[in-house]
Short mmCIF file of all heavy atoms in Angstrom, two decimals:
data_model
loop_
_atom_site.label_atom_id
_atom_site.label_comp_id
_atom_site.label_asym_id
_atom_site.label_seq_id
_atom_site.Cartn_x
_atom_site.Cartn_y
_atom_site.Cartn_z
N MET A 1 18.39 3.14 17.87
CA MET A 1 17.39 2.46 17.08
C MET A 1 18.11 2.16 15.73
O MET A 1 18.77 2.98 15.21
CB MET A 1 16.23 3.43 16.84
CG MET A 1 15.14 2.92 15.86
SD MET A 1 13.87 4.20 15.82
CE MET A 1 12.52 3.10 15.71
N PRO A 2 18.06 0.93 15.29
CA PRO A 2 18.61 0.43 14.11
C PRO A 2 18.11 1.29 12.83
O PRO A 2 16.94 1.55 12.80
CB PRO A 2 18.26 -0.98 14.00
CG PRO A 2 17.90 -1.42 15.32
CD PRO A 2 17.31 -0.25 16.02
N ALA A 3 19.04 1.52 11.98
CA ALA A 3 18.70 2.26 10.76
C ALA A 3 18.56 1.33 9.59
O ALA A 3 19.47 0.44 9.37
CB ALA A 3 19.78 3.26 10.46
N LYS A 4 17.60 1.45 8.76
CA LYS A 4 17.45 0.70 7.47
C LYS A 4 17.80 1.65 6.40
O LYS A 4 17.09 2.67 6.26
CB LYS A 4 16.07 0.15 7.44
CG LYS A 4 15.78 -0.92 8.41
CD LYS A 4 14.45 -1.55 8.16
CE LYS A 4 14.19 -2.63 9.18
NZ LYS A 4 12.89 -3.31 8.99
N VAL A 5 18.76 1.34 5.60
CA VAL A 5 19.20 2.23 4.54
C VAL A 5 19.09 1.51 3.21
O VAL A 5 19.50 0.37 3.12
CB VAL A 5 20.63 2.65 4.78
CG1 VAL A 5 21.14 3.52 3.66
CG2 VAL A 5 20.75 3.40 6.08
N GLY A 6 18.58 2.23 2.17
CA GLY A 6 18.54 1.63 0.86
C GLY A 6 19.77 1.78 0.09
O GLY A 6 20.94 1.89 0.73
N ALA A 7 19.75 1.76 -1.17
CA ALA A 7 20.95 1.81 -1.99
C ALA A 7 21.61 3.17 -1.78
O ALA A 7 21.02 4.23 -1.70
CB ALA A 7 20.60 1.68 -3.46
N VAL A 8 22.97 3.16 -1.73
CA VAL A 8 23.72 4.26 -1.50
C VAL A 8 24.93 4.31 -2.61
O VAL A 8 25.57 3.31 -2.71
CB VAL A 8 24.36 4.37 -0.15
CG1 VAL A 8 25.38 5.58 0.04
CG2 VAL A 8 23.25 4.48 0.98
N LYS A 9 25.11 5.51 -3.21
CA LYS A 9 26.21 5.58 -4.20
C LYS A 9 27.06 6.67 -3.70
O LYS A 9 26.67 7.83 -3.53
CB LYS A 9 25.70 5.91 -5.62
CG LYS A 9 26.81 6.11 -6.60
CD LYS A 9 26.23 6.44 -7.95
CE LYS A 9 27.32 6.69 -8.94
NZ LYS A 9 26.85 7.14 -10.28
N VAL A 10 28.28 6.43 -3.47
CA VAL A 10 29.21 7.36 -2.95
C VAL A 10 30.32 7.56 -4.08
O VAL A 10 31.06 6.66 -4.44
CB VAL A 10 30.11 6.93 -1.74
CG1 VAL A 10 31.07 7.95 -1.35
CG2 VAL A 10 29.07 6.66 -0.65
N ASN A 11 30.33 8.81 -4.69
CA ASN A 11 31.32 9.13 -5.77
C ASN A 11 32.71 9.33 -5.24
O ASN A 11 33.75 8.93 -5.80
CB ASN A 11 30.86 10.30 -6.56
CG ASN A 11 29.56 10.05 -7.37
OD1 ASN A 11 29.37 8.87 -7.82
ND2 ASN A 11 28.73 10.93 -7.50
N SER A 12 32.87 10.13 -4.16
CA SER A 12 34.18 10.29 -3.58
C SER A 12 34.02 10.75 -2.12
O SER A 12 33.06 11.36 -1.78
CB SER A 12 34.97 11.28 -4.37
OG SER A 12 34.34 12.60 -4.24
N VAL A 13 35.06 10.50 -1.32
CA VAL A 13 35.13 10.93 0.03
C VAL A 13 36.52 11.52 0.19
O VAL A 13 37.51 10.84 -0.11
CB VAL A 13 34.95 9.80 1.04
CG1 VAL A 13 35.09 10.26 2.44
CG2 VAL A 13 33.58 9.14 0.82
N SER A 14 36.66 12.77 0.57
CA SER A 14 38.03 13.38 0.75
C SER A 14 38.76 12.79 1.87
O SER A 14 38.23 12.09 2.76
CB SER A 14 37.85 14.83 0.87
OG SER A 14 37.27 15.19 2.22
N ALA A 15 40.09 13.12 1.90
CA ALA A 15 40.96 12.49 2.91
C ALA A 15 40.59 12.82 4.33
O ALA A 15 40.77 12.01 5.29
CB ALA A 15 42.40 12.97 2.62
N SER A 16 40.06 13.99 4.57
CA SER A 16 39.75 14.36 5.93
C SER A 16 38.17 14.24 6.23
O SER A 16 37.77 14.71 7.22
CB SER A 16 40.16 15.80 6.20
OG SER A 16 39.48 16.65 5.29
N ALA A 17 37.45 13.55 5.41
CA ALA A 17 36.04 13.48 5.65
C ALA A 17 35.68 12.25 6.46
O ALA A 17 36.49 11.33 6.63
CB ALA A 17 35.38 13.33 4.19
N ILE A 18 34.44 12.22 6.96
CA ILE A 18 33.81 11.12 7.67
C ILE A 18 32.55 10.72 6.99
O ILE A 18 31.74 11.58 6.68
CB ILE A 18 33.57 11.50 9.14
CG1 ILE A 18 34.85 11.88 9.91
CG2 ILE A 18 32.84 10.36 9.86
CD1 ILE A 18 34.61 12.29 11.34
N PHE A 19 32.46 9.46 6.65
CA PHE A 19 31.31 8.96 5.93
C PHE A 19 30.70 7.85 6.83
O PHE A 19 31.40 6.94 7.28
CB PHE A 19 31.60 8.40 4.48
CG PHE A 19 30.50 7.73 3.90
CD1 PHE A 19 29.56 8.54 3.21
CD2 PHE A 19 30.37 6.33 3.83
CE1 PHE A 19 28.50 8.06 2.58
CE2 PHE A 19 29.25 5.85 3.15
CZ PHE A 19 28.31 6.68 2.58
N ASN A 20 29.43 7.92 7.12
CA ASN A 20 28.81 6.96 8.00
C ASN A 20 27.39 6.72 7.50
O ASN A 20 26.65 7.56 7.03
CB ASN A 20 28.72 7.56 9.36
CG ASN A 20 28.02 6.58 10.32
OD1 ASN A 20 28.54 5.42 10.50
ND2 ASN A 20 26.86 6.93 10.84
N ILE A 21 26.98 5.39 7.56
CA ILE A 21 25.64 5.07 7.42
C ILE A 21 25.24 4.17 8.56
O ILE A 21 25.88 3.17 8.90
CB ILE A 21 25.47 4.19 6.10
CG1 ILE A 21 25.86 5.01 4.88
CG2 ILE A 21 24.02 3.59 5.94
CD1 ILE A 21 25.80 4.28 3.68
N GLY A 22 24.18 4.56 9.21
CA GLY A 22 23.68 3.77 10.41
C GLY A 22 23.87 4.51 11.72
O GLY A 22 24.15 5.71 11.72
N ASP A 23 23.84 3.68 12.80
CA ASP A 23 23.99 4.25 14.12
C ASP A 23 25.41 4.62 14.45
O ASP A 23 26.32 3.89 14.08
CB ASP A 23 23.35 3.28 15.17
CG ASP A 23 21.92 3.03 14.95
OD1 ASP A 23 21.19 3.84 14.34
OD2 ASP A 23 21.45 1.96 15.38
N VAL A 24 25.57 5.72 15.16
CA VAL A 24 26.95 6.14 15.60
C VAL A 24 26.94 6.70 16.92
O VAL A 24 26.03 7.43 17.38
CB VAL A 24 27.46 7.36 14.55
CG1 VAL A 24 28.69 7.94 15.14
CG2 VAL A 24 27.67 6.77 13.23
N TYR A 25 27.85 6.24 17.79
CA TYR A 25 27.95 6.77 19.18
C TYR A 25 28.80 8.10 19.14
O TYR A 25 28.37 9.19 19.67
CB TYR A 25 28.67 5.80 20.05
CG TYR A 25 28.97 6.44 21.43
CD1 TYR A 25 27.92 6.67 22.27
CD2 TYR A 25 30.29 6.66 21.80
CE1 TYR A 25 28.17 7.15 23.52
CE2 TYR A 25 30.42 7.19 23.09
CZ TYR A 25 29.48 7.41 23.97
OH TYR A 25 29.66 7.99 25.17
N THR A 26 29.88 8.06 18.36
CA THR A 26 30.68 9.36 18.28
C THR A 26 31.51 9.32 17.00
O THR A 26 31.86 8.31 16.52
CB THR A 26 31.66 9.48 19.44
OG1 THR A 26 32.30 10.74 19.43
CG2 THR A 26 32.69 8.41 19.60
N MET A 27 31.75 10.49 16.50
CA MET A 27 32.51 10.67 15.25
C MET A 27 33.63 11.76 15.52
O MET A 27 33.23 12.83 15.97
CB MET A 27 31.67 11.06 14.04
CG MET A 27 30.71 9.95 13.66
SD MET A 27 29.64 10.34 12.43
CE MET A 27 30.68 10.28 11.01
N ASN A 28 34.81 11.55 15.19
CA ASN A 28 35.94 12.51 15.50
C ASN A 28 36.73 12.81 14.24
O ASN A 28 37.18 11.90 13.48
CB ASN A 28 36.86 11.90 16.52
CG ASN A 28 36.22 11.67 17.88
OD1 ASN A 28 35.43 12.49 18.23
ND2 ASN A 28 36.42 10.51 18.49
N PRO A 29 37.00 14.05 13.92
CA PRO A 29 37.74 14.46 12.82
C PRO A 29 39.19 14.14 13.01
O PRO A 29 39.67 14.10 14.19
CB PRO A 29 37.57 15.97 12.68
CG PRO A 29 37.25 16.43 14.05
CD PRO A 29 36.40 15.21 14.64
N ARG A 30 39.94 13.90 12.02
CA ARG A 30 41.39 13.59 12.07
C ARG A 30 42.23 14.77 11.50
O ARG A 30 43.34 14.62 11.19
CB ARG A 30 41.74 12.27 11.38
CG ARG A 30 41.09 11.10 12.02
CD ARG A 30 41.77 10.91 13.42
NE ARG A 30 41.18 9.78 14.02
CZ ARG A 30 41.18 9.49 15.28
NH1 ARG A 30 41.85 10.33 16.08
NH2 ARG A 30 40.65 8.39 15.73
N SER A 31 41.66 15.91 11.30
CA SER A 31 42.37 17.01 10.76
C SER A 31 41.79 18.33 11.32
O SER A 31 40.59 18.33 11.73
CB SER A 31 42.38 16.97 9.28
OG SER A 31 41.13 17.38 8.73
N THR A 32 42.59 19.37 11.29
CA THR A 32 42.07 20.64 11.77
C THR A 32 42.53 21.68 10.76
O THR A 32 43.38 21.43 9.92
CB THR A 32 42.63 21.10 13.06
OG1 THR A 32 44.01 21.15 13.06
CG2 THR A 32 42.12 20.12 14.15
N ALA A 33 41.92 22.85 10.70
CA ALA A 33 42.27 23.94 9.77
C ALA A 33 41.92 25.27 10.46
O ALA A 33 41.06 25.37 11.28
CB ALA A 33 41.48 23.79 8.49
N LYS A 34 42.62 26.25 10.11
CA LYS A 34 42.43 27.62 10.67
C LYS A 34 42.24 28.49 9.44
O LYS A 34 42.92 28.46 8.49
CB LYS A 34 43.68 28.09 11.37
CG LYS A 34 43.46 29.30 12.25
CD LYS A 34 44.70 29.65 12.99
CE LYS A 34 45.03 28.67 14.04
NZ LYS A 34 45.99 29.15 15.03
N THR A 35 41.10 29.31 9.58
CA THR A 35 40.70 30.18 8.50
C THR A 35 40.90 31.61 8.82
O THR A 35 40.33 32.00 9.85
CB THR A 35 39.23 29.90 8.05
OG1 THR A 35 39.14 28.49 7.68
CG2 THR A 35 38.85 30.70 6.83
N TYR A 36 41.55 32.32 8.01
CA TYR A 36 41.67 33.80 8.20
C TYR A 36 40.94 34.52 7.11
O TYR A 36 41.05 34.14 5.96
CB TYR A 36 43.12 34.27 8.11
CG TYR A 36 44.01 33.55 9.10
CD1 TYR A 36 44.96 32.59 8.87
CD2 TYR A 36 43.91 33.95 10.47
CE1 TYR A 36 45.72 32.00 9.83
CE2 TYR A 36 44.83 33.36 11.51
CZ TYR A 36 45.66 32.37 11.05
OH TYR A 36 46.48 31.84 12.01
N ALA A 37 40.08 35.55 7.60
CA ALA A 37 39.35 36.29 6.54
C ALA A 37 39.13 37.72 7.13
O ALA A 37 39.06 37.87 8.37
CB ALA A 37 38.07 35.62 6.25
N GLY A 38 39.02 38.59 6.25
CA GLY A 38 38.74 40.01 6.73
C GLY A 38 37.32 40.28 7.16
O GLY A 38 36.44 39.45 7.06
N GLY A 39 37.17 41.48 7.72
CA GLY A 39 35.84 41.83 8.13
C GLY A 39 34.81 41.79 7.14
O GLY A 39 35.02 42.26 5.92
N GLY A 40 33.66 41.20 7.37
CA GLY A 40 32.54 41.07 6.38
C GLY A 40 32.70 39.90 5.44
O GLY A 40 31.93 39.84 4.53
N SER A 41 33.67 39.14 5.57
CA SER A 41 33.88 38.02 4.59
C SER A 41 32.81 36.92 4.56
O SER A 41 32.51 36.38 3.56
CB SER A 41 35.26 37.28 4.92
OG SER A 41 36.33 38.32 4.68
N PHE A 42 32.34 36.57 5.74
CA PHE A 42 31.39 35.44 5.77
C PHE A 42 29.96 35.94 6.03
O PHE A 42 29.07 35.12 6.45
CB PHE A 42 31.69 34.52 6.92
CG PHE A 42 33.13 33.92 6.72
CD1 PHE A 42 34.14 34.22 7.65
CD2 PHE A 42 33.35 33.03 5.78
CE1 PHE A 42 35.44 33.75 7.44
CE2 PHE A 42 34.55 32.48 5.59
CZ PHE A 42 35.62 32.86 6.43
N ASN A 43 29.57 37.15 5.67
CA ASN A 43 28.28 37.57 5.62
C ASN A 43 27.38 37.00 4.57
O ASN A 43 27.89 36.83 3.43
CB ASN A 43 28.15 39.13 5.47
CG ASN A 43 28.72 39.82 6.71
OD1 ASN A 43 28.84 39.37 7.79
ND2 ASN A 43 29.22 41.07 6.48
N THR A 44 26.24 36.59 4.95
CA THR A 44 25.29 36.01 3.90
C THR A 44 23.93 36.73 4.00
O THR A 44 23.61 37.21 5.13
CB THR A 44 25.09 34.48 4.10
OG1 THR A 44 24.64 34.25 5.38
CG2 THR A 44 26.37 33.76 3.89
N GLY A 45 23.23 36.71 2.87
CA GLY A 45 21.89 37.26 2.95
C GLY A 45 21.62 38.22 1.75
O GLY A 45 22.55 38.37 0.91
N ASP A 46 20.48 38.80 1.65
CA ASP A 46 20.15 39.65 0.59
C ASP A 46 20.31 41.15 0.98
O ASP A 46 19.89 41.50 2.00
CB ASP A 46 18.72 39.39 0.08
CG ASP A 46 18.43 37.99 -0.39
OD1 ASP A 46 19.38 37.49 -0.96
OD2 ASP A 46 17.34 37.51 -0.21
N GLY A 47 20.92 41.94 0.05
CA GLY A 47 21.00 43.34 0.23
C GLY A 47 21.97 43.72 1.37
O GLY A 47 21.72 44.74 2.09
N ILE A 48 23.04 42.98 1.70
CA ILE A 48 23.99 43.37 2.65
C ILE A 48 24.88 44.46 2.11
O ILE A 48 25.45 44.41 1.04
CB ILE A 48 24.79 42.15 3.18
CG1 ILE A 48 23.91 41.20 3.89
CG2 ILE A 48 25.95 42.57 4.03
CD1 ILE A 48 24.66 39.95 4.29
N ARG A 49 25.20 45.43 3.04
CA ARG A 49 26.06 46.59 2.55
C ARG A 49 27.14 46.69 3.70
O ARG A 49 26.85 46.82 4.85
CB ARG A 49 25.28 47.91 2.48
CG ARG A 49 26.09 49.09 2.02
CD ARG A 49 25.33 50.29 1.89
NE ARG A 49 24.32 50.04 0.87
CZ ARG A 49 23.30 50.97 0.59
NH1 ARG A 49 23.24 52.03 1.27
NH2 ARG A 49 22.43 50.65 -0.36
N VAL A 50 28.39 46.49 3.31
CA VAL A 50 29.50 46.54 4.22
C VAL A 50 30.44 47.57 3.86
O VAL A 50 30.91 47.61 2.68
CB VAL A 50 30.23 45.17 4.19
CG1 VAL A 50 31.43 45.18 5.16
CG2 VAL A 50 29.35 44.08 4.63
N ASN A 51 30.72 48.51 4.81
CA ASN A 51 31.65 49.67 4.49
C ASN A 51 32.76 49.52 5.58
O ASN A 51 32.55 49.81 6.77
CB ASN A 51 30.84 50.91 4.69
CG ASN A 51 31.79 52.19 4.29
OD1 ASN A 51 32.95 51.97 3.82
ND2 ASN A 51 31.27 53.30 4.45
N LEU A 52 33.94 49.04 5.20
CA LEU A 52 34.97 48.80 6.12
C LEU A 52 36.11 49.80 6.16
O LEU A 52 37.02 49.67 6.97
CB LEU A 52 35.59 47.41 5.90
CG LEU A 52 34.56 46.26 6.08
CD1 LEU A 52 35.13 45.00 5.64
CD2 LEU A 52 34.21 46.18 7.54
N ARG A 53 36.15 50.65 5.21
CA ARG A 53 37.20 51.66 5.10
C ARG A 53 38.63 50.97 5.18
O ARG A 53 39.01 50.36 4.38
CB ARG A 53 37.02 52.87 6.12
CG ARG A 53 35.74 53.46 5.92
CD ARG A 53 35.80 54.84 6.56
NE ARG A 53 34.48 55.44 6.51
CZ ARG A 53 33.97 56.31 5.58
NH1 ARG A 53 34.77 56.64 4.72
NH2 ARG A 53 32.70 56.68 5.76
N ASN A 54 39.31 51.07 6.28
CA ASN A 54 40.59 50.43 6.40
C ASN A 54 40.48 49.24 7.43
O ASN A 54 40.33 49.33 8.64
CB ASN A 54 41.64 51.48 7.08
CG ASN A 54 42.02 52.58 6.06
OD1 ASN A 54 41.97 52.34 4.99
ND2 ASN A 54 42.17 53.70 6.77
N SER A 55 40.48 48.04 6.81
CA SER A 55 40.24 46.81 7.57
C SER A 55 41.51 46.00 7.52
O SER A 55 42.14 45.86 6.46
CB SER A 55 39.16 46.01 6.95
OG SER A 55 38.98 44.83 7.61
N ASN A 56 41.92 45.47 8.67
CA ASN A 56 43.15 44.67 8.76
C ASN A 56 42.75 43.25 9.35
O ASN A 56 41.90 43.17 10.31
CB ASN A 56 44.25 45.35 9.58
CG ASN A 56 44.73 46.55 9.03
OD1 ASN A 56 44.96 46.58 7.78
ND2 ASN A 56 45.01 47.57 9.81
N THR A 57 43.41 42.25 8.88
CA THR A 57 43.31 40.84 9.56
C THR A 57 44.65 40.48 10.03
O THR A 57 45.55 40.31 9.21
CB THR A 57 42.78 39.92 8.42
OG1 THR A 57 41.46 40.31 7.96
CG2 THR A 57 42.46 38.53 9.06
N TYR A 58 44.65 40.34 11.29
CA TYR A 58 45.91 40.00 11.91
C TYR A 58 45.99 38.44 12.10
O TYR A 58 45.13 37.85 12.68
CB TYR A 58 46.16 40.60 13.27
CG TYR A 58 46.22 42.15 13.17
CD1 TYR A 58 45.03 42.89 13.53
CD2 TYR A 58 47.27 42.85 12.77
CE1 TYR A 58 45.05 44.26 13.32
CE2 TYR A 58 47.27 44.20 12.61
CZ TYR A 58 46.18 44.91 12.94
OH TYR A 58 46.22 46.29 12.83
N VAL A 59 47.07 37.82 11.60
CA VAL A 59 47.17 36.37 11.69
C VAL A 59 48.25 35.82 12.56
O VAL A 59 48.60 34.71 12.57
CB VAL A 59 47.39 35.79 10.26
CG1 VAL A 59 46.10 36.08 9.39
CG2 VAL A 59 48.59 36.29 9.61
N TYR A 60 48.80 36.65 13.43
CA TYR A 60 49.89 36.25 14.36
C TYR A 60 49.19 35.39 15.51
O TYR A 60 48.24 35.79 16.14
CB TYR A 60 50.56 37.42 14.99
CG TYR A 60 51.53 37.02 16.04
CD1 TYR A 60 52.78 36.41 15.70
CD2 TYR A 60 51.32 37.27 17.34
CE1 TYR A 60 53.63 36.04 16.58
CE2 TYR A 60 52.23 36.87 18.33
CZ TYR A 60 53.40 36.24 17.94
OH TYR A 60 54.26 35.90 18.97
N ASP A 61 49.73 34.20 15.62
CA ASP A 61 49.20 33.30 16.66
C ASP A 61 50.38 32.85 17.52
O ASP A 61 51.10 31.92 17.07
CB ASP A 61 48.47 32.16 15.92
CG ASP A 61 47.79 31.25 16.94
OD1 ASP A 61 47.67 31.63 18.14
OD2 ASP A 61 47.25 30.15 16.58
N LYS A 62 50.55 33.34 18.67
CA LYS A 62 51.78 33.02 19.47
C LYS A 62 51.70 31.55 20.00
O LYS A 62 52.88 31.03 20.27
CB LYS A 62 51.84 33.95 20.68
CG LYS A 62 50.71 33.93 21.61
CD LYS A 62 50.86 34.99 22.74
CE LYS A 62 49.75 34.84 23.69
NZ LYS A 62 49.85 35.91 24.73
N ASP A 63 50.66 30.93 20.17
CA ASP A 63 50.66 29.62 20.70
C ASP A 63 50.80 28.50 19.63
O ASP A 63 50.97 27.33 19.96
CB ASP A 63 49.48 29.32 21.59
CG ASP A 63 48.14 29.29 20.88
OD1 ASP A 63 48.16 29.72 19.74
OD2 ASP A 63 47.09 29.05 21.56
N LYS A 64 50.61 28.76 18.41
CA LYS A 64 50.92 27.95 17.26
C LYS A 64 49.93 26.80 17.07
O LYS A 64 49.48 26.48 16.14
CB LYS A 64 52.34 27.39 17.25
CG LYS A 64 53.43 28.33 17.29
CD LYS A 64 53.66 29.02 15.97
CE LYS A 64 54.82 29.84 16.01
NZ LYS A 64 54.67 31.28 15.91
N VAL A 65 49.55 26.07 18.25
CA VAL A 65 48.72 24.91 18.23
C VAL A 65 47.35 25.23 18.99
O VAL A 65 47.49 25.43 20.22
CB VAL A 65 49.36 23.75 18.76
CG1 VAL A 65 48.43 22.44 18.75
CG2 VAL A 65 50.63 23.32 17.98
N ASP A 66 46.24 25.15 18.32
CA ASP A 66 44.96 25.46 19.03
C ASP A 66 44.24 24.19 19.46
O ASP A 66 43.67 24.08 20.51
CB ASP A 66 44.08 26.33 18.11
CG ASP A 66 44.63 27.61 17.96
OD1 ASP A 66 45.25 28.26 18.89
OD2 ASP A 66 44.40 28.20 16.85
N GLN A 67 44.29 23.17 18.47
CA GLN A 67 43.61 21.84 18.77
C GLN A 67 44.52 20.79 18.26
O GLN A 67 44.39 20.48 17.04
CB GLN A 67 42.28 21.83 18.11
CG GLN A 67 41.55 20.59 18.49
CD GLN A 67 40.10 20.65 17.85
OE1 GLN A 67 39.66 21.57 17.40
NE2 GLN A 67 39.46 19.47 17.90
N PRO A 68 45.29 20.16 19.04
CA PRO A 68 46.20 19.04 18.48
C PRO A 68 45.41 17.91 18.03
O PRO A 68 44.38 17.54 18.55
CB PRO A 68 47.04 18.69 19.64
CG PRO A 68 46.35 19.17 20.89
CD PRO A 68 45.48 20.32 20.47
N VAL A 69 45.93 17.26 16.98
CA VAL A 69 45.25 16.03 16.45
C VAL A 69 46.07 14.80 16.82
O VAL A 69 47.24 14.71 16.47
CB VAL A 69 45.13 16.14 14.88
CG1 VAL A 69 44.52 14.84 14.39
CG2 VAL A 69 44.32 17.36 14.46
N THR A 70 45.47 13.90 17.53
CA THR A 70 46.13 12.70 17.93
C THR A 70 45.46 11.46 17.46
O THR A 70 44.24 11.48 17.25
CB THR A 70 46.27 12.63 19.51
OG1 THR A 70 44.93 12.62 20.06
CG2 THR A 70 47.05 13.79 20.11
N GLU A 71 46.11 10.41 17.27
CA GLU A 71 45.56 9.14 16.70
C GLU A 71 45.01 8.37 17.86
O GLU A 71 45.59 8.38 18.94
CB GLU A 71 46.64 8.46 15.91
CG GLU A 71 46.97 9.07 14.61
CD GLU A 71 45.81 9.13 13.60
OE1 GLU A 71 45.10 8.14 13.52
OE2 GLU A 71 45.71 10.07 12.87
#
């Protein structure tokens, strides 16, 4: 279904971002990233209590490439 869009102001779009207005069949990213964080790092909510004592985050990755980016 065709989209009707009014005025749009874009201040900035980062190098790895995708900006689209209107109909799209598919959108593919051109970059990947790997995030390492310790236990309890991404918890959200009110009144969360995390007790981790001795927590370790292991970052060894033997295969090196998880999702190759191709053009």
